[in-house]
């Protein structure tokens, strides 16, 4: 309200208005409640990621880390003061770094999910194989607000794969030696399977039949 005065400054009347702000107050209350729920949710999320034996991290749309859980820091031997946009270059194996960097920068530029296997140095200086993955978190308009990432230890899996590859290579080498020996002996030797027919015919068989392999 404001006074209305005459020429001599005496108040003649008051002029006032009343504005309905119920909707505004309700909107402000809803906003405050939503913010409180978000803060509570973030606290629960942070508490959860601190409890799991898994490396979890988030970065800004520009690729600057804004959260790394305790497990990841302990594993890497890095402190919060060591964390920056390119801090991954301190722990990724030099041979894996170029490919890792190229793929990560591509994901940051395009918003496409990131995934890369690489060797990562731990606090003791040992390198282990990890699967690093990250996805973009977007707002309602599709803008990237954050990247959420994890690092999964796949050392055991990689060793198992290497073991299988070595076993397969050894098996193939023994098979080649076996075929070479069977080609040198006088008797005709052949192998066959019910569905696929002959699977091996030694050299003596071809010499005897006059057929070509």
């Amino acid at each position: 309200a404001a006074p209305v005065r005459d020429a001599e400054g005496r108040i003649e009347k008051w002029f006032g208005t009343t504005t309905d702000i119920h909707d505004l107050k309700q909107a402000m209350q809803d906003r405050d409640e939503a913010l409180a729920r978000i803060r509570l949710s973030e606290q629960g999320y942070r508490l959860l990621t601190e409890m799991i034996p898994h490396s979890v991290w988030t970065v800004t749309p520009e690729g600057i880390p804004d959260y790394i859980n305790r497990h990841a820091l302990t594993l890497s031997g890095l402190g919060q003061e060591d964390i920056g946009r390119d801090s991954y270059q301190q722990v990724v194996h030099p041979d894996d770094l170029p490919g890792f960097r190229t793929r990560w920068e591509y994901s940051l530029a395009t918003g496409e999910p990131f995934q890369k296997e690489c060797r990562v140095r731990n606090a003791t200086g040992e390198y282990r194989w990890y699967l690093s993955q990250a996805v973009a978190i977007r707002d309602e308009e599709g803008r990237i607000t954050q990247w959420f990432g994890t690092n999964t230890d796949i050392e055991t899996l990689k060793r198992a794969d290497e073991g299988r590859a070595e076993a397969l290579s050894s098996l193939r080498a023994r098979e080649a030696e076996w075929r070479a020996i069977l080609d040198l002996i006088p008797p005709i030797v052949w192998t066959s399977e019910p569905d696929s027919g002959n699977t091996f015919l030694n050299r003596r068989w071809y010499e005897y039949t006059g057929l070509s392999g």
Side-chain angles (χ1 to χ4, degrees):
V4 178
R5 301 176 185 272
D6 60 18
E8 296 178 356
R10 293 188 295 263
I11 296 176
E12 294 183 334
K13 58 184 177 180
W14 286 82
F15 180 81
T17 61
T18 300
T19 303
D20 185 346
I21 61 171
H22 175 78
D23 292 343
L24 177 61
K25 293 288 287 184
Q26 186 63 48
M28 294 176 64
Q29 180 179 343
D30 292 345
R31 181 204 61 188
D32 292 342
E33 291 176 355
L35 289 174
R37 287 194 297 269
I38 290 174
R39 293 191 186 99
L40 183 61
S41 176
E42 288 180 346
Q43 291 173 359
Y45 152 75
R46 292 291 175 91
L47 178 61
L48 176 63
T49 59
E50 290 298 334
M51 293 173 62
I52 61 176
H54 202 75
S55 297
V56 178
W57 46 273
T58 62
V59 301
T60 66
E62 297 74 30
I64 300 173
D66 54 11
Y67 172 71
I68 297 178
N69 74 336
R70 185 180 297 111
H71 179 77
L73 290 174
T74 302
L75 206 61
S76 66
L78 300 178
Q80 288 288 355
E81 67 280 1
D82 301 316
I83 303 303
R85 190 183 190 282
D86 300 323
S87 56
Y88 64 86
Q89 299 188 38
Q90 302 178 53
V91 293
V92 174
H93 193 283
D95 292 343
D96 303 331
L97 184 57
F100 185 98
R101 183 192 299 115
T102 298
R103 188 66 185 84
W104 177 231
E105 294 296 338
Y106 175 79
S107 291
L108 287 177
T110 63
E112 291 190 10
F114 170 78
Q115 180 169 303
K116 190 69 176 177
E117 292 182 3
C118 63
R119 287 161 289 181
V120 177
R121 190 186 70 239
N122 60 24
T124 66
E126 175 192 10
Y127 282 97
R128 293 180 63 86
W129 280 99
Y130 278 83
L131 174 62
S132 185
Q133 297 173 292
V135 294
I137 308 300
R138 301 176 184 269
D139 61 18
E140 295 179 352
E141 297 180 0
R143 293 181 298 235
I144 296 175
T145 59
Q146 193 177 47
W147 284 84
F148 178 87
T150 61
N151 293 336
T152 304
D153 189 327
I154 58 171
E155 179 73 18
T156 302
L157 180 61
K158 292 290 285 188
R159 294 303 180 200
D161 287 342
E162 291 174 0
R164 283 194 294 268
E166 291 176 359
L168 182 58
S169 176
S170 176
L171 180 61
R172 286 172 177 165
R174 289 197 299 270
E175 181 181 1
E177 293 174 357
W178 172 76
R179 287 173 178 266
I181 293 172
L182 294 180
D183 276 336
L184 294 174
I185 63 176
I188 294 174
V189 178
W190 54 272
T191 60
S192 179
E193 294 182 2
D195 297 329
S196 57
N198 294 332
T199 57
F200 173 73
L201 300 167
N202 73 338
R203 183 180 303 167
R204 178 59 181 150
W205 185 92
Y206 289 108
E207 293 174 347
Y208 179 80
T209 62
L211 299 176
S212 59

